[in-house]
Amino acid sequence: MVQINENYLKLPGSYLFSEIARRVAAYSEANPQAKLIKLGIGDVTRPLCPAVIEAMHAAVDEMGVQETFRGYGPEQGYDFLRDAIAKHDYAARGVQMAADEIFVSDGAKSDCGNIGDIFGTDNVVAVCDPVYPVYVDTNAMAGRAGEYDEKTGKWSRLHYMPCTAENGFSPVVPEGKQVDLIYLCFPNNPTGATANKAQLQAWVDYANTVGAVILFDGAYEAFITEPDVPHSIFEIPGARTCAIEFRSFSKTAGFTGNRCAYTVVPHELERGGASLNRLWNRRQTTKFNGVPYVVQRGAAAIYTDAGKKQVQETISYYQKNAAVIREGLQTAGLTVYGGVNAPYIWLKTPDGCPSWDFFDRLLQEANVVTTPGAGFGPSGEGYIRLTAFGGAAATAEAVERVKAIL
Ligand code: MLT
């Protein structure tokens, strides 16, 4: 009889955002009159900008004409997009990146999970706590996480790095301990915290010393407002020999429904005598057939003058929402973090209320959907996360509703 991957049986019942969707659907069904405001999953709400729409329309037209029709594209992405990324996301910030170090894909979520294919199952994986659950669940699926303990909410083989208010939500480099794969996400999901150059340098130095690899998720890079915050791990000397970076058009340009992202694997990055760029290329060419041409044309349009300006307008719109949430809740006497360089606001629940209880209270009494901090890991207990990706009016109303029930 066929054997299943038993690691799946060890996973908690459902993925965090599916569980939230389930609870929200159940509440809506029982209370059809409730006008919910959703500040839970970080999904964008503003339409694609005109430059992207124009480029996608033109690409659709090309696909309908014999001379310009395209079948399979390069698995790694079209040169026009890889070149634009290298120029605008890296060279413009003083970072040299070759186009063939950039792999265009259908999402940072998929890449953060799929990257595990090129690493052995015995590696010790370090994750922040709280953490974007994809890093944890995909390592559990691959058999790298050990056993799940429901009481502690932890996996036996993962190395958890508590990120708390006391340490500024910044993970501490393990001293005297070998970890092999290190997931870092800055600006951080869920806390909205950032890492400065010195903090990232400490990670790069550690990884180069012990032969670890940093998996750096920069999906929220576009939301950085403060000048000294690094936008890429590759701004840090030494990162090319120890880091892989994930970036996405999802939050930057409203592509959550369009699916386009990219992963950067430098040529200098080698482990066990093998080039990780070659391994990732081998993985992608075997298991992935590239992002649709029309979508890649849309993505490339954000690097035109008009596209840059329009995308920035949308990001500013969300940044204003973040300020409305942060300042509104602070005025109400609540303790909030994040929301300055990130679209997430990390709110300490009042009177130490457990995350899921506060989530339920906000859902039922204020009809506002949030994400319970405990869903991101044990150190997220006592917090909830709000996103700035809603509509401006709905966001302002959500803040008033929350204030009114407290
Ligand atoms: C989130 O809410 O954390 C994100 O939207 C999830 C994702 O990007 O997959």
Side-chain angles (χ1 to χ4, degrees):
M1 194 163 76
V2 72
Q3 290 181 349
I4 56 159
N5 178 350
E6 294 193 354
N7 295 314
Y8 277 67
L9 302 180
K10 302 176 186 173
L11 290 164
S14 56
Y15 180 60
L16 173 62
F17 293 106
S18 314
E19 173 59 18
I20 292 169
R22 191 191 64 73
R23 288 190 187 213
V24 171
Y27 180 78
S28 291
E29 206 183 308
N31 302 276
Q33 79 296 345
K35 292 204 168 32
L36 296 184
I37 299 179
K38 295 188 177 171
L39 303 183
I41 189 165
D43 194 6
V44 293
T45 54
R46 303 294 293 162
L48 295 171
C49 70
V52 167
I53 292 298
E54 205 179 303
M56 290 178 79
H57 276 299
V60 169
D61 289 343
E62 283 181 56
M63 293 297 263
V65 175
Q66 184 65 64
E67 288 69 31
T68 48
F69 167 77
R70 293 172 189 244
Y72 291 126
E75 296 93 337
Q76 306 85 349
Y78 284 100
D79 285 346
F80 64 79
L81 181 54
R82 298 171 96 191
D83 289 341
I85 292 167
K87 181 171 171 199
H88 297 278
D89 285 350
Y90 290 99
R93 293 200 165 273
V95 175
Q96 292 315 307
M97 201 59 71
D100 65 356
E101 296 174 311
I102 296 164
F103 296 82
V104 176
S105 76
D106 66 350
K109 177 180 181 176
S110 353
D111 283 359
C112 286
N114 292 336
I115 197 75
D117 280 12
I118 66 168
F119 295 105
T121 47
D122 286 340
N123 286 305
V124 176
V125 177
V127 291
C128 292
D129 170 25
V131 64
Y132 178 41
V134 170
Y135 314 150
V136 171
D137 288 8
T138 54
N139 276 291
M141 289 167 178
R144 268 187 290 264
E147 304 300 321
Y148 184 65
D149 179 344
E150 278 191 19
K151 277 205 198 91
T152 60
K154 289 186 177 178
W155 291 85
S156 59
R157 286 197 58 231
L158 295 186
H159 175 75
Y160 288 87
M161 305 182 287
C163 296
T164 60
E166 288 69 40
N167 64 18
F169 302 102
S170 177
V172 177
V173 176
E175 266 179 42
K177 180 174 169 71
Q178 168 82 33
V179 296
D180 307 306
L181 287 173
I182 303 158
Y183 287 84
L184 297 179
C185 172
F186 289 109
N188 187 258
N189 178 12
T191 65
T194 52
N196 62 31
K197 285 200 170 137
Q199 287 165 328
L200 291 183
Q201 187 71 63
W203 280 108
V204 165
D205 293 345
Y206 172 84
N208 279 323
T209 304
V210 305
V213 171
I214 296 171
L215 302 172
F216 189 85
D217 184 348
Y220 301 98
E221 166 275 334
F223 293 84
I224 294 174
T225 55
E226 293 177 324
D228 293 343
V229 177
H231 286 242
S232 163
I233 189 77
F234 297 114
E235 290 175 36
I236 309 301
R240 289 185 61 86
T241 51
C242 70
I244 291 174
E245 179 159 285
F246 306 96
R247 291 271 195 102
S248 173
F249 294 90
S250 283
K251 314 295 158 71
T252 306
F255 271 52
T256 55
N258 243 356
R259 310 311 307 149
C260 196
Y262 63 88
T263 288
V264 179
V265 192
H267 290 304
E268 289 93 320
L269 180 53
E270 292 185 355
R271 291 293 180 266
S275 152
L276 298 196
N277 180 291
R278 287 188 60 182
L279 297 192
W280 184 242
N281 189 52
R282 186 71 173 84
R283 191 265 172 213
Q284 290 297 81
T285 49
T286 305
K287 291 196 180 182
F288 184 61
N289 256 337
V291 174
Y293 173 68
V294 174
V295 173
Q296 292 192 57
R297 276 290 178 203
I302 77 161
Y303 298 112
T304 59
D305 288 345
K308 275 185 194 165
K309 192 169 156 283
Q310 292 162 8
V311 159
Q312 188 49 51
E313 279 164 12
T314 302
I315 289 170
S316 302
Y317 177 98
Y318 294 134
Q319 283 167 331
K320 276 192 201 123
N321 285 347
V324 165
I325 300 173
R326 201 180 61 239
E327 287 157 21
L329 297 179
Q330 256 165 359
T331 314
L334 294 166
T335 305
V336 294
Y337 302 93
V340 175
N341 296 295
Y344 294 126
I345 289 87
W346 192 234
L347 166 70
K348 195 159 172 45
T349 62
D351 307 320
C353 180
S355 298
W356 278 104
D357 291 357
F358 197 56
F359 166 86
D360 284 335
R361 190 172 164 210
L362 291 179
L363 175 62
Q364 289 159 19
E365 294 177 28
N367 289 169
V368 173
V369 180
T370 58
T371 307
F376 295 102
S379 296
E381 183 52 279
Y383 288 89
I384 57 151
R385 192 195 74 175
L386 296 113
T387 93
F389 288 121
T395 300
E397 185 179 335
V399 172
E400 290 314 311
R401 288 193 199 172
V402 173
K403 279 161 74 174
I405 66 152
L406 291 177

